[in-house]
Amino acid sequence: MVEPGLIKAAQSGDREALITLLREIETHVYRTAYYILNNEQDAMDASQEALIRIYTKIGSYEEKAQFKTWIQRIVTNICIDKFRRNKPTVSIDEHEMVFHEKQNVEEEVLSAYALQDIRSAIDKLPEHHRTVVVLRYLQDFSYNEIADSLDLPLNTVKSYLFRARQQLQTLLHDYQKGGVRG
């Protein structure tokens, strides 16, 4: 993700290296916050708070954990705190679908509905299940990286993912039967 030399330079007080480091990770930080919070404004607030925390705590980073798991722990903890403070809300923002001439419109519509339903199902999961699903399937973290990021035992992560998949399977029952919501 980030060059170790850049991290070391940022830790040693090189302001330019720190700014470069923050710019390299800001998209990753925002994406994680958005997937967890499912609200653009809250994700922007959380990612800004996370970047500030990384800026102020970079000196405390130790190479015991991977840098990306250290960042992930910061972002996830901020999102969990924000989620606990605010009750979840349903976003009324709909993403615009743009159709291109040579694409199959029916496939795009069905795909958009499927993505919307999957996102909705993920949002219905309990907070701890949603977080591990986001880290595993949307951020492509390994089980060990998730355990490190969330400070959980590996077996707990596996258990959360197992239960989350079961819940998603139940929530997405219509798709298993070939149905589509409409």
Side-chain angles (χ1 to χ4, degrees):
M1 184 174 157
V2 177
E3 285 184 39
L6 185 60
I7 297 167
K8 292 245 186 254
Q11 286 182 303
S12 68
D14 182 340
R15 192 171 190 279
E16 290 301 315
L18 182 55
I19 291 169
T20 301
L21 176 71
L22 293 173
R23 285 193 178 132
E24 283 189 25
I25 64 172
E26 70 183 336
T27 301
H28 173 75
V29 168
Y30 172 78
R31 187 178 318 126
T32 299
Y34 184 79
Y35 284 136
I36 292 173
L37 298 169
N38 195 30
N39 177 297
E40 185 177 350
Q41 190 60 48
D42 287 345
M44 289 172 62
D45 291 346
S47 58
Q48 182 178 10
E49 188 177 335
L51 289 170
I52 290 169
R53 191 165 300 164
I54 292 164
Y55 177 84
T56 59
K57 303 281 186 185
I58 190 73
S60 69
Y61 167 68
E62 298 173 3
E63 293 183 28
K64 293 177 189 172
Q66 290 183 19
F67 187 67
K68 79 175 190 175
T69 58
W70 182 74
I71 291 169
Q72 198 64 47
R73 179 178 289 175
I74 291 171
V75 176
T76 303
N77 287 340
I78 288 170
C79 289
I80 289 170
D81 289 345
K82 186 173 256 325
F83 189 77
R84 286 180 181 152
R85 284 192 305 260
N86 303 331
K87 295 207 184 246
T89 58
V90 177
S91 174
I92 59 172
D93 295 331
E94 291 294 325
H95 296 286
E96 224 177 275
M97 291 190 340
V98 178
F99 299 107
H100 302 285
E101 276 184 43
K102 295 186 180 187
Q103 292 180 333
N104 184 334
V105 174
E106 183 179 352
E107 280 181 26
E108 283 202 26
V109 169
L110 292 176
S111 177
Y113 276 130
L115 287 174
Q116 190 175 24
D117 285 348
I118 291 168
R119 182 70 219 180
S120 176
I122 291 172
D123 289 343
K124 291 177 185 171
L125 295 174
E127 174 186 314
H128 53 284
H129 289 169
R130 181 177 51 249
T131 302
V132 295
V133 165
V134 166
L135 295 178
R136 179 70 183 131
Y137 298 109
L138 301 177
Q139 294 293 346
D140 203 29
F141 270 47
S142 71
Y143 289 6
N144 288 327
E145 289 170 335
I146 295 168
D148 288 345
S149 294
L150 299 178
D151 199 23
L152 294 171
L154 182 60
N155 285 336
T156 302
V157 170
K158 290 178 181 179
S159 174
Y160 283 178
L161 280 168
F162 177 78
R163 289 188 184 121
R165 283 190 298 264
Q166 284 181 319
Q167 290 171 324
L168 287 171
Q169 191 172 18
T170 301
L171 290 167
L172 295 169
H173 185 60
D174 289 344
Y175 284 102
Q176 291 173 340
K177 291 186 173 186
V180 178
R181 77 173 177 97

